[in-house]
Structures are given as structure tokens and as C-alpha cells.
């Protein structure tokens, strides 16, 4: 078993590979292997060792996961899906051009080379894409937040169980060993009686978000697909691509 934080994409790949190994063992015991030639069986073994991953959404977090998975020996990024064409092209380049590009994630879910998907879309897509991926027979690593409302989470659990899929949420800062140790110290009373807690967060992205007016979406963005299940609203840079776009493009170039 992997000792890496249980919320990380590499730990997710390990869990999927371990389940596939169990399935392979059951397959061997069934005697069905006799139907394979030596060459075809070799291809099956090779496929079993590396998980075909499809990346859905390749903005900031999606790009980070894409790079990490591409560097793993037990996974191969075989497909990417993104509604903004420049990001889609840049993501494919990160894989050395080996990944199939899709403007519509539903086509990626139909791809037989994809064993598992990473869902790094805007938040309002997380639950629906996860459930559709499970129904398509794919295992899922989905970014936080998992849901927008509580019942949505119950639907996701029900679908994952119905289709017997591995689903993992990207909450690395909840499953890392240092957080588990902090929890143990608190529960053991090592810190004494806690009377208050303070948390601060800010993101200062130059030149700032500003307050741009609504306008037409960029020609390279499939805005209707980006909206998906969200209410229909006019395009605004701060709603979709935002000023983070410049930051992401800069990172892609490095």
C-alpha cells in the first residue's frame, strides 16, 4: 500500500492499480487466460501496469495534476478535455502530444483508453461529471469542493456504489500525515484546552480582479459547455476565465 497522503492523485492511481490487480488475479483463476495468445497477453499485462487517465478541466489545479500524473510510472495521460482551446492545446503539449484532445468531456468518457479521470472543472461541474464518469465505468479523482449542496453528495455516493467505482476527493490537507498528527495531539490533550482558532486566506494575483463589464465570450471558449448545469448568465471574465488566466498562461510557458 502507498504511504503517500490518501488525498493525492498519485495515491489515487495506486488504489486504482491495486483494484485492477485484484481483478486480474480473479481473471487468471477463471481460466479465461487460455484464450489469449502470448502476444495479446503481454499487451494485457502492460495495460494493467499503467492506468490510462483522462484529465477533465486543465486550468490551474488541472494543470498541476496533469504534470504530476504525466511524471508517474504507473499512469499515462491518454486524454484531456477542456472548454477553452488554448488551455486544451497547452495541456496536450504537456503530455508530449500523446493525449487525445476533447472539447466535450462526454466524448472523453466514451474513450476506451481512459480507465480513470481527474475532474478539475469549475466547482458547479464537479458532482455531475463525477457521476457521469462513474456511469461510464471510470474511476474518479475529483477536486474540492466535492459538492455545492449536501444532497448532491449523497447522489454521488449512491452512483459510485452502484457502479462500483473508486472515487477520491482532492483533500490533501485533510489526509496528510502532519494533519493527522495535529489531530492526535489535540485529541490527546497535548495542547490543553482550546478556546479559539483563527484562519486567514488571501490570494493576491497581479493586477487584481477588477470589475469588468459583461461582454461576449472569447471565440476560443465554449461558454455554453463551461456553464453546463449552472444558470444561464452573460459572460464575464471574472465569472469564467478571470485574471487568473494570465497567471495560468505564464505557468504553462515555464
Amino acid at each position: 500500500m502507498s504511504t503517500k497522503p490518501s488525498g493525492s492523485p498519485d495515491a489515487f492511481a495506486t488504489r486504482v492499480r491495486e483494484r485492477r490487480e485484484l481483478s486480474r488475479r480473479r481473471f487468471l483463476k477463471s481460466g479465461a487466460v487460455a484464450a489469449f495468445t502470448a502476444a495479446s497477453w503481454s499487451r494485457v499485462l502492460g495495460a494493467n501496469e499503467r492506468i490510462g487517465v483522462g484529465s477533465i478541466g486543465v486550468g490551474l489545479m488541472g494543470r498541476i495534476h496533469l504534470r504530476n500524473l504525466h511524471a508517474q510510472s504507473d499512469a499515462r495521460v491518454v486524454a484531456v478535455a477542456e472548454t477553452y482551446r488554448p488551455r486544451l492545446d497547452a495541456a496536450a503539449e504537456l503530455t508530449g502530444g500523446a493525449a487525445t484532445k476533447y472539447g466535450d468531456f462526454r466524448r472523453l468518457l466514451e474513450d476506451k483508453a481512459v480507465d480513470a479521470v481527474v475532474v478539475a472543472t469549475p466547482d458547479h461541474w464537479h458532482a455531475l461529471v463525477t457521476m457521469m464518469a462513474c456511469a461510464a465505468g471510470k474511476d474518479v479523482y475529483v477536486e474540492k469542493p466535492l459538492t455545492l449542496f449536501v444532497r448532491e453528495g449523497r447522489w454521488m455516493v449512491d452512483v459510485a456504489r452502484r457502479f462500483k467505482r473508486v472515487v477520491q476527493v482532492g483533500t490533501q490537507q485533510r489526509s496528510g500525515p502532519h494533519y493527522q498528527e495535529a489531530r492526535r495531539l489535540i485529541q490527546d490533550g497535548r495542547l490543553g484546552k482550546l478556546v479559539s482558532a483563527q484562519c486567514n486566506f488571501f490570494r493576491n494575483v497581479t493586477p487584481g480582479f477588477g470589475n469588468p463589464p459583461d461582454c461576449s465570450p472569447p471565440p476560443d471558449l465554449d461558454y455554453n459547455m463551461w456553464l453546463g448545469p449552472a444558470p444561464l448568465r452573460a459572460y464575464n471574465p471574472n465569472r469564467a476565465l478571470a485574471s487568473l488566466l494570465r497567471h495560468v498562461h505564464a505557468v504553462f510557458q515555464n
Side-chain angles (χ1 to χ4, degrees):
M1 295 293 291
S2 172
T3 58
K4 298 173 181 176
S6 61
S8 64
D10 45 4
F12 168 72
T14 299
R15 291 176 63 197
V16 175
R17 189 178 65 256
E18 288 171 348
R19 191 184 69 168
R20 292 177 63 186
E21 177 62 22
L22 290 174
S23 297
R24 185 173 72 95
R25 290 173 185 170
R26 287 194 293 267
F27 178 76
L28 287 170
K29 291 179 180 179
S30 72
V33 66
F36 286 84
T37 65
S40 62
W41 180 241
S42 176
R43 288 193 293 272
V44 170
L45 287 176
N48 191 70
E49 292 169 358
R50 303 187 70 194
I51 297 167
V53 179
S55 185
I56 303 176
V58 284
L60 185 58
M61 290 307 301
R63 172 194 55 79
I64 294 172
H65 294 325
L66 186 66
R67 280 183 168 172
N68 290 340
L69 287 166
H70 185 57
Q72 284 186 225
S73 60
D74 58 353
R76 55 194 178 99
V77 180
V78 297
V80 291
E82 168 62 47
T83 59
Y84 187 54
R85 187 72 192 192
R87 286 181 180 174
L88 180 63
D89 293 339
E93 289 179 8
L94 283 177
T95 69
T100 303
K101 297 186 293 185
Y102 295 99
D104 186 332
F105 77 91
R106 293 171 295 184
R107 304 290 82 80
L108 182 148
L109 295 181
E110 296 171 353
D111 192 329
K112 301 301 183 183
V114 175
D115 302 307
V117 299
V118 172
V119 180
T121 62
D123 298 351
H124 62 273
W125 264 116
H126 285 184
L128 185 56
V129 174
T130 295
M131 290 186 285
M132 292 175 68
C134 288
K138 317 298 184 185
D139 296 311
V140 181
Y141 178 91
V142 55
E143 260 301 322
K144 51 189 174 291
L146 179 63
T147 68
L148 295 183
F149 51 91
V150 174
R151 182 168 293 184
E152 198 173 42
R154 172 48 54 192
W155 295 339
M156 296 171 79
V157 170
D158 290 344
V159 171
R161 289 176 175 172
R162 182 188 310 163
F163 293 99
K164 298 179 174 60
R165 308 320 307 167
V166 172
V167 177
Q168 183 167 302
V169 187
T171 52
Q172 297 92 324
Q173 294 188 11
R174 304 295 184 273
S175 56
H178 54 304
Y179 282 93
Q180 296 175 19
E181 176 65 13
R183 179 174 179 267
R184 186 187 66 78
L185 291 174
I186 293 172
Q187 291 180 333
D188 290 349
R190 299 284 294 277
L191 301 184
K193 182 180 179 180
L194 298 180
V195 296
S196 68
Q198 180 176 336
C199 178
N200 297 299
F201 173 82
F202 67 91
R203 173 176 285 168
N204 185 17
V205 180
T206 302
F209 293 103
N211 187 27
D214 293 343
C215 58
S216 299
D220 290 332
L221 172 67
D222 185 345
Y223 185 55
N224 285 334
M225 177 59 74
W226 186 94
L227 279 173
L232 178 61
R233 293 182 178 177
Y235 171 80
N236 187 288
N238 281 358
R239 179 172 295 118
L241 300 178
S243 58
L244 284 174
L245 182 60
R246 281 188 289 272
H247 172 67
V248 174
H249 279 176
V251 175
F252 266 128
Q253 299 304 318
N254 296 330

